Amino acid sequence: GHIFNRSKVSRPRLFIWVGMIIVATTILVRTPFTNKNDEMVKMYSDIICLTDKTDYIMDAKGENIFRNRPTYYGFELFTKRLMRQGLIPDTIINDCKRTSTHVVLLRYRNKFPPAVKEFFDNEYLEISPDLAVSGKVVAITDKTAKFMIQVPGYYTIKSAENCSVNGFLDGIAYNGKSVYLRQRKHSFVSEDSCPKIVIIWSKALEKGYYPEV
């Protein structure tokens, strides 16, 4: 007869069989007693190290639980559908500029609208698989680099090798220190021979973070 025939198997024995099946399935699908949260722990450790309570972080759906977000909505299916229909305004880019959001969480980057992802690609530098900070890499032509800052704040200009550079930033002598850059076009005339410069959020540099260029 059937192994679970109620006339031959008591209810307690049935529960034991079901429990054994669940345990066996769990062991086959997932390795028990192993820590698979290393990436998440690293991400949150970086967030706490890199920012303080005054900083904003842009994430997809509120997974950053330690800092304020520049925008209200979480980007799940329903929210994205309402945005496409024009029922919810897409203010993400303006919110990042308005609040000087210098950190973006990349873990769920595909949830953002295409225009927002393009903005992040242009205005932020990836410093880890999960995090990006405001900044950009700019090529130097005839000793001059021209660039647009969209997220105002304190930035430092470095070479691609993370070395100090000297020159003139918007016509004023620059010696490698942190400087406040407004939301507008800027120019840097280099006195060095580096082919490109890295403009990076100063706090990230001070905390030891730097992108691979």
Side-chain angles (χ1 to χ4, degrees), residues 115-131:
V116 175
K117 288 191 287 187
E118 183 179 1
F119 174 75
F120 291 159
D121 289 340
N122 293 334
E123 304 301 327
Y124 293 81
L125 299 170
E126 190 171 319
I127 58 171
S128 77
D130 290 320
L131 289 174

PDB file of all heavy atoms in Angstrom, residues 115-131:
ATOM      1  N   ALA A 115      17.348  55.990 -18.196  1.00  0.00           N
ATOM      2  CA  ALA A 115      17.963  57.313 -18.107  1.00  0.00           C
ATOM      3  C   ALA A 115      18.732  57.477 -16.801  1.00  0.00           C
ATOM      4  O   ALA A 115      19.780  58.133 -16.756  1.00  0.00           O
ATOM      5  CB  ALA A 115      16.899  58.405 -18.233  1.00  0.00           C
ATOM      6  N   VAL A 116      18.224  56.879 -15.733  1.00  0.00           N
ATOM      7  CA  VAL A 116      18.889  56.961 -14.431  1.00  0.00           C
ATOM      8  C   VAL A 116      20.185  56.151 -14.456  1.00  0.00           C
ATOM      9  O   VAL A 116      21.218  56.588 -13.944  1.00  0.00           O
ATOM     10  CB  VAL A 116      17.955  56.473 -13.308  1.00  0.00           C
ATOM     11  CG1 VAL A 116      18.686  56.438 -11.981  1.00  0.00           C
ATOM     12  CG2 VAL A 116      16.737  57.387 -13.219  1.00  0.00           C
ATOM     13  N   LYS A 117      20.141  54.955 -15.039  1.00  0.00           N
ATOM     14  CA  LYS A 117      21.347  54.133 -15.149  1.00  0.00           C
ATOM     15  C   LYS A 117      22.420  54.850 -15.963  1.00  0.00           C
ATOM     16  O   LYS A 117      23.606  54.802 -15.625  1.00  0.00           O
ATOM     17  CB  LYS A 117      21.007  52.783 -15.769  1.00  0.00           C
ATOM     18  CG  LYS A 117      20.231  51.864 -14.828  1.00  0.00           C
ATOM     19  CD  LYS A 117      20.135  50.446 -15.360  1.00  0.00           C
ATOM     20  CE  LYS A 117      19.180  50.356 -16.518  1.00  0.00           C
ATOM     21  NZ  LYS A 117      18.965  48.944 -16.941  1.00  0.00           N
ATOM     22  N   GLU A 118      22.008  55.535 -17.021  1.00  0.00           N
ATOM     23  CA  GLU A 118      22.964  56.301 -17.822  1.00  0.00           C
ATOM     24  C   GLU A 118      23.569  57.447 -17.008  1.00  0.00           C
ATOM     25  O   GLU A 118      24.776  57.723 -17.094  1.00  0.00           O
ATOM     26  CB  GLU A 118      22.269  56.846 -19.076  1.00  0.00           C
ATOM     27  CG  GLU A 118      23.216  57.608 -20.004  1.00  0.00           C
ATOM     28  CD  GLU A 118      22.514  58.123 -21.247  1.00  0.00           C
ATOM     29  OE1 GLU A 118      21.282  57.902 -21.383  1.00  0.00           O
ATOM     30  OE2 GLU A 118      23.187  58.757 -22.079  1.00  0.00           O
ATOM     31  N   PHE A 119      22.737  58.099 -16.200  1.00  0.00           N
ATOM     32  CA  PHE A 119      23.228  59.170 -15.332  1.00  0.00           C
ATOM     33  C   PHE A 119      24.257  58.629 -14.342  1.00  0.00           C
ATOM     34  O   PHE A 119      25.310  59.238 -14.133  1.00  0.00           O
ATOM     35  CB  PHE A 119      22.043  59.791 -14.582  1.00  0.00           C
ATOM     36  CG  PHE A 119      22.421  60.817 -13.550  1.00  0.00           C
ATOM     37  CD1 PHE A 119      22.830  62.089 -13.929  1.00  0.00           C
ATOM     38  CD2 PHE A 119      22.369  60.503 -12.197  1.00  0.00           C
ATOM     39  CE1 PHE A 119      23.174  63.038 -12.967  1.00  0.00           C
ATOM     40  CE2 PHE A 119      22.706  61.437 -11.239  1.00  0.00           C
ATOM     41  CZ  PHE A 119      23.116  62.708 -11.621  1.00  0.00           C
ATOM     42  N   PHE A 120      23.991  57.480 -13.751  1.00  0.00           N
ATOM     43  CA  PHE A 120      24.940  56.878 -12.819  1.00  0.00           C
ATOM     44  C   PHE A 120      26.248  56.520 -13.521  1.00  0.00           C
ATOM     45  O   PHE A 120      27.340  56.714 -12.975  1.00  0.00           O
ATOM     46  CB  PHE A 120      24.333  55.629 -12.182  1.00  0.00           C
ATOM     47  CG  PHE A 120      23.196  55.908 -11.241  1.00  0.00           C
ATOM     48  CD1 PHE A 120      22.280  54.922 -10.917  1.00  0.00           C
ATOM     49  CD2 PHE A 120      23.030  57.165 -10.673  1.00  0.00           C
ATOM     50  CE1 PHE A 120      21.233  55.169 -10.047  1.00  0.00           C
ATOM     51  CE2 PHE A 120      21.989  57.434  -9.807  1.00  0.00           C
ATOM     52  CZ  PHE A 120      21.081  56.432  -9.493  1.00  0.00           C
ATOM     53  N   ASP A 121      26.150  55.996 -14.739  1.00  0.00           N
ATOM     54  CA  ASP A 121      27.359  55.634 -15.496  1.00  0.00           C
ATOM     55  C   ASP A 121      28.223  56.857 -15.790  1.00  0.00           C
ATOM     56  O   ASP A 121      29.459  56.769 -15.776  1.00  0.00           O
ATOM     57  CB  ASP A 121      26.980  54.950 -16.816  1.00  0.00           C
ATOM     58  CG  ASP A 121      26.414  53.549 -16.615  1.00  0.00           C
ATOM     59  OD1 ASP A 121      26.664  52.971 -15.538  1.00  0.00           O
ATOM     60  OD2 ASP A 121      25.723  53.054 -17.519  1.00  0.00           O
ATOM     61  N   ASN A 122      27.586  57.987 -16.045  1.00  0.00           N
ATOM     62  CA  ASN A 122      28.314  59.193 -16.417  1.00  0.00           C
ATOM     63  C   ASN A 122      28.827  59.987 -15.225  1.00  0.00           C
ATOM     64  O   ASN A 122      29.857  60.675 -15.339  1.00  0.00           O
ATOM     65  CB  ASN A 122      27.424  60.105 -17.269  1.00  0.00           C
ATOM     66  CG  ASN A 122      27.104  59.515 -18.624  1.00  0.00           C
ATOM     67  OD1 ASN A 122      27.853  58.699 -19.147  1.00  0.00           O
ATOM     68  ND2 ASN A 122      25.967  59.906 -19.184  1.00  0.00           N
ATOM     69  N   GLU A 123      28.133  59.913 -14.095  1.00  0.00           N
ATOM     70  CA  GLU A 123      28.429  60.813 -12.983  1.00  0.00           C
ATOM     71  C   GLU A 123      29.006  60.122 -11.745  1.00  0.00           C
ATOM     72  O   GLU A 123      29.321  60.802 -10.770  1.00  0.00           O
ATOM     73  CB  GLU A 123      27.163  61.574 -12.576  1.00  0.00           C
ATOM     74  CG  GLU A 123      26.515  62.358 -13.705  1.00  0.00           C
ATOM     75  CD  GLU A 123      27.441  63.399 -14.311  1.00  0.00           C
ATOM     76  OE1 GLU A 123      28.276  63.962 -13.573  1.00  0.00           O
ATOM     77  OE2 GLU A 123      27.334  63.637 -15.536  1.00  0.00           O
ATOM     78  N   TYR A 124      29.158  58.798 -11.794  1.00  0.00           N
ATOM     79  CA  TYR A 124      29.654  58.065 -10.622  1.00  0.00           C
ATOM     80  C   TYR A 124      30.737  57.082 -11.048  1.00  0.00           C
ATOM     81  O   TYR A 124      30.746  56.588 -12.176  1.00  0.00           O
ATOM     82  CB  TYR A 124      28.515  57.327  -9.914  1.00  0.00           C
ATOM     83  CG  TYR A 124      27.506  58.243  -9.260  1.00  0.00           C
ATOM     84  CD1 TYR A 124      26.493  58.845 -10.004  1.00  0.00           C
ATOM     85  CD2 TYR A 124      27.580  58.539  -7.897  1.00  0.00           C
ATOM     86  CE1 TYR A 124      25.562  59.700  -9.420  1.00  0.00           C
ATOM     87  CE2 TYR A 124      26.657  59.390  -7.298  1.00  0.00           C
ATOM     88  CZ  TYR A 124      25.663  59.967  -8.058  1.00  0.00           C
ATOM     89  OH  TYR A 124      24.749  60.819  -7.480  1.00  0.00           O
ATOM     90  N   LEU A 125      31.626  56.791 -10.106  1.00  0.00           N
ATOM     91  CA  LEU A 125      32.724  55.855 -10.328  1.00  0.00           C
ATOM     92  C   LEU A 125      32.544  54.643  -9.427  1.00  0.00           C
ATOM     93  O   LEU A 125      32.329  54.780  -8.219  1.00  0.00           O
ATOM     94  CB  LEU A 125      34.070  56.527 -10.017  1.00  0.00           C
ATOM     95  CG  LEU A 125      34.440  57.744 -10.863  1.00  0.00           C
ATOM     96  CD1 LEU A 125      35.669  58.434 -10.265  1.00  0.00           C
ATOM     97  CD2 LEU A 125      34.703  57.339 -12.303  1.00  0.00           C
ATOM     98  N   GLU A 126      32.664  53.469 -10.002  1.00  0.00           N
ATOM     99  CA  GLU A 126      32.494  52.237  -9.243  1.00  0.00           C
ATOM    100  C   GLU A 126      33.731  51.974  -8.388  1.00  0.00           C
ATOM    101  O   GLU A 126      34.847  51.890  -8.902  1.00  0.00           O
ATOM    102  CB  GLU A 126      32.247  51.072 -10.192  1.00  0.00           C
ATOM    103  CG  GLU A 126      31.828  49.794  -9.516  1.00  0.00           C
ATOM    104  CD  GLU A 126      31.375  48.728 -10.494  1.00  0.00           C
ATOM    105  OE1 GLU A 126      30.660  49.080 -11.463  1.00  0.00           O
ATOM    106  OE2 GLU A 126      31.743  47.551 -10.293  1.00  0.00           O
ATOM    107  N   ILE A 127      33.541  51.853  -7.078  1.00  0.00           N
ATOM    108  CA  ILE A 127      34.661  51.591  -6.173  1.00  0.00           C
ATOM    109  C   ILE A 127      34.611  50.175  -5.587  1.00  0.00           C
ATOM    110  O   ILE A 127      35.549  49.744  -4.911  1.00  0.00           O
ATOM    111  CB  ILE A 127      34.704  52.615  -5.024  1.00  0.00           C
ATOM    112  CG1 ILE A 127      33.391  52.602  -4.234  1.00  0.00           C
ATOM    113  CG2 ILE A 127      35.017  54.008  -5.553  1.00  0.00           C
ATOM    114  CD1 ILE A 127      33.425  53.421  -2.954  1.00  0.00           C
ATOM    115  N   SER A 128      33.502  49.465  -5.843  1.00  0.00           N
ATOM    116  CA  SER A 128      33.355  48.075  -5.436  1.00  0.00           C
ATOM    117  C   SER A 128      32.208  47.506  -6.260  1.00  0.00           C
ATOM    118  O   SER A 128      31.503  48.263  -6.942  1.00  0.00           O
ATOM    119  CB  SER A 128      33.054  47.969  -3.927  1.00  0.00           C
ATOM    120  OG  SER A 128      31.704  48.286  -3.670  1.00  0.00           O
ATOM    121  N   PRO A 129      32.009  46.189  -6.244  1.00  0.00           N
ATOM    122  CA  PRO A 129      30.891  45.633  -7.021  1.00  0.00           C
ATOM    123  C   PRO A 129      29.527  46.191  -6.621  1.00  0.00           C
ATOM    124  O   PRO A 129      28.599  46.161  -7.429  1.00  0.00           O
ATOM    125  CB  PRO A 129      30.983  44.132  -6.721  1.00  0.00           C
ATOM    126  CG  PRO A 129      32.406  43.892  -6.391  1.00  0.00           C
ATOM    127  CD  PRO A 129      32.844  45.129  -5.650  1.00  0.00           C
ATOM    128  N   ASP A 130      29.416  46.725  -5.410  1.00  0.00           N
ATOM    129  CA  ASP A 130      28.112  47.181  -4.920  1.00  0.00           C
ATOM    130  C   ASP A 130      27.988  48.692  -4.757  1.00  0.00           C
ATOM    131  O   ASP A 130      26.884  49.188  -4.547  1.00  0.00           O
ATOM    132  CB  ASP A 130      27.798  46.531  -3.567  1.00  0.00           C
ATOM    133  CG  ASP A 130      27.514  45.049  -3.689  1.00  0.00           C
ATOM    134  OD1 ASP A 130      26.835  44.658  -4.654  1.00  0.00           O
ATOM    135  OD2 ASP A 130      27.983  44.280  -2.839  1.00  0.00           O
ATOM    136  N   LEU A 131      29.084  49.429  -4.840  1.00  0.00           N
ATOM    137  CA  LEU A 131      29.046  50.856  -4.523  1.00  0.00           C
ATOM    138  C   LEU A 131      29.734  51.703  -5.595  1.00  0.00           C
ATOM    139  O   LEU A 131      30.743  51.300  -6.177  1.00  0.00           O
ATOM    140  CB  LEU A 131      29.724  51.129  -3.176  1.00  0.00           C
ATOM    141  CG  LEU A 131      29.011  50.661  -1.912  1.00  0.00           C
ATOM    142  CD1 LEU A 131      29.900  50.892  -0.709  1.00  0.00           C
ATOM    143  CD2 LEU A 131      27.691  51.380  -1.746  1.00  0.00           C
TER     144      LEU A 131
END
